[in-house]
């Protein structure tokens, strides 16, 4: 079936980590400013079924969608730049494609045929891509192919997308190749050869890029763009330069100056006037995000602090909220694995304890909770961070050896325990409590003041919860339960009221913050951080 959506396929070359996701999301932001509806697909050619079982050190944060899929962090960029909730099915992996083809083969769907990469795997990929296009009803579907052109795992995907262009028509599918143009200090010049080679590699798959986006450390000049256009066989106005900028949110503005929108609209014949877009709101957001003072110092006490990408959505949420309260956030990354240096903590305006798995780093997180309670420093715990708040609060109030059964199966006071429905589950992948669930708020609490709503919906990713057997005892000691599941069964938010700002939530609010709509809890936390700084 021919779909009405237009497709923009984004590939990458030369090196990884050049911001292909941000570049693709920025094209999306520009097209959104024309009033177009967009959705995004991220293809990850690895064999894992989803990102849930990947180590954050290797792959950065696991982003959780509203519908409960554990996905690549690029989906987070797309949600933040496009301001849409994406379907988790939009993260296509080799694992998902092969699993689906193999189960069809077992069902007998291909009876009589030899099942092959072409056509069976490529057909499956096209079907998955078209399903997202159809269900989203978007005008434009961004399809980012992870990895770099030439990777063995990526080949079936490139072949499928090449076929997609033939089937949907040249006017409905375009290819954007993102490359890196290095500057050789010794030679005193930029080098286009890596871009030429990776474009040649891409053309070897039968795909001619329509646009080349050149990432570079510094701006490149017109002559260089002309050379790239000539050697890579693209139009001159389709060679776009995207030099490094201080904030990722500036990228759509940089690309807009290069008239990316105009080229795309004409190339895939989008039904909008080429000068009918308006990035005023985005420009305002970028300006507020670039505010230099006052600087609020927030310490993130976590396990994966060497790789900031592990806490990507938290970092972005803090930035959005700081901009919302008219400040700039400076994050101090504090390893929970080393013993905490209180002098370092004394310099902070607030502390955030993020989520995580396993015992490593727990004692540092518990120390940080105790420090915040004893020193009246605002503290925000997310998921495992909230569980640590409950454990330390319990220990401070006489529950000896209080712990989570995740770390101590024999704890005499298991204040955090595995959820009942989790106890029977044996498989690790995709089996946690995942995705959006309702949370009912108690009036008069910090949470209620922040949201100004009775019922909210937040995304989850956990197996453990506050143990209901301890709930009333902890409440007697002063723990406030300000958010629960609508049936009151699961504790969602805890607070303390003899403290300037102490809030822990079992869910992950960071997945819902957008630059234009900072998350209410993060805003409340940044306001408390500002108040603490002013003290
Ligand atoms: N390990 C904890 C649990 O599974 C917390 C998970 C998290 O922080 N995402 O409940």
């Amino acid at each position: 079936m021919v779909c009405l959506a237009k497709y923009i396929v984004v590939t990458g070359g030369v090196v990884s980590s050049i911001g292909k996701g941000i570049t693709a999301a920025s094209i999306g932001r520009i097209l959104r400013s024309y009033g177009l509806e967009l959705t995004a697909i991220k293809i990850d050619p690895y064999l894992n079924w989803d990102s849930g079982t990947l180590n954050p050190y290797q792959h950065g944060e696991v982003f959780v969608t509203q519908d409960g899929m554990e996905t690549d962090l690029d989906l987070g960029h797309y949600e933040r730049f496009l301001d849409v909730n994406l379907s988790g099915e939009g993260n296509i992996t080799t694992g998902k494609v092969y699993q689906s083809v193999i189960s069809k083969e077992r069902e007998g769907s291909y009876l009589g045929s030899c099942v092959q990469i072409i056509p069976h795997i490529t057909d499956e990929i096209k079907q998955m891509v078209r399903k997202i296009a159809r269900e989203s009803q978007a005008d434009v579907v961004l399809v980012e192919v992870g990895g770099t052109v030439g990777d063995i795992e990526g080949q079936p995907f490139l072949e499928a997308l090449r076929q997609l262009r033939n089937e949907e028509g040249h006017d409905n599918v375009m290819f954007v190749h993102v490359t890196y143009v290095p500057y050789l200090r010794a030679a005193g010049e930029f080098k286009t050869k890596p871009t030429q080679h990776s474009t040649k590699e891409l053309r070897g798959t039968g795909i001619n890029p329509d646009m080349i986006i050149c990432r570079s450390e510094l701006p490149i000049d017109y002559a260089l763009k002309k050379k790239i256009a000539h050697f890579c066989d693209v139009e001159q106005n389709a060679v776009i330069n995207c030099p490094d900028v201080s904030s990722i949110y500036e990228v759509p503005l940089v690309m807009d100056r290069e008239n990316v929108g105009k080229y795309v609209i004409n190339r895939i014949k989008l039904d909008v006037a080429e000068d009918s877009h308006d990035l005023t709101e985005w420009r305002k957001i970028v300006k507020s995000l670039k505010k230099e003072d006052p600087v609020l110092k927030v310490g993130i006490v976590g396990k994966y602090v060497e790789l900031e990408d592990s806490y990507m959505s938290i970092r972005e949420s803090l930035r959005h909220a700081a901009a919302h309260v008219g400040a700039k956030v400076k994050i101090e990354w504090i390893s929970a694995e080393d013993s905490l240096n209180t002098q370092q903590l004394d310099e902070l305006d607030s502390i955030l304890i993020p989520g995580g798995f396993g015992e490593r780093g727990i004692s540092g997180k518990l120390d940080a909770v105790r420090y915040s309670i004893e020193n009246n420093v605002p503290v925000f715990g997310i998921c495992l961070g909230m569980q640590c708040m409950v454990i330390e609060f319990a220990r401070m109030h006489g529950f000896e050896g209080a712990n989570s059964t995740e770390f101590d199966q024999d704890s005499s006071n298991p204040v955090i325990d595995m959820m009942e429905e989790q106890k029977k589950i044996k498989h690790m992948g995709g089996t946690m409590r995942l995705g959006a669930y309702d949370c009912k708020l108690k009036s008069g609490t910090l949470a209620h003041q922040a949201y100004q709503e009775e019922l909210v919906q937040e995304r989850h990713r956990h197996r453990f919860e506050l143990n209901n057997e301890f709930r009333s005892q902890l409440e007697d000691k002063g723990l406030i339960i300000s958010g629960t599941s609508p049936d009151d069964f699961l504790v969602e938010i805890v607070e303390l009221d003899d403290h300037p700002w102490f809030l822990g939530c079992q869910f992950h609010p960071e997945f819902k913050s957008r630059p234009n709509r900072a998350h209410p809890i993060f805003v409340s936390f940044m306001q408390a951080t500002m108040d603490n700084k002013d003290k």
Side-chain angles (χ1 to χ4, degrees), residues 355-357 383-384 387 406 461-464 508:
F357 296 84
C383 207
L384 181 65
Q387 297 173 356
E406 182 176 2
R461 183 174 184 244
H462 62 114
R463 289 195 175 87
F464 294 80
H508 290 269

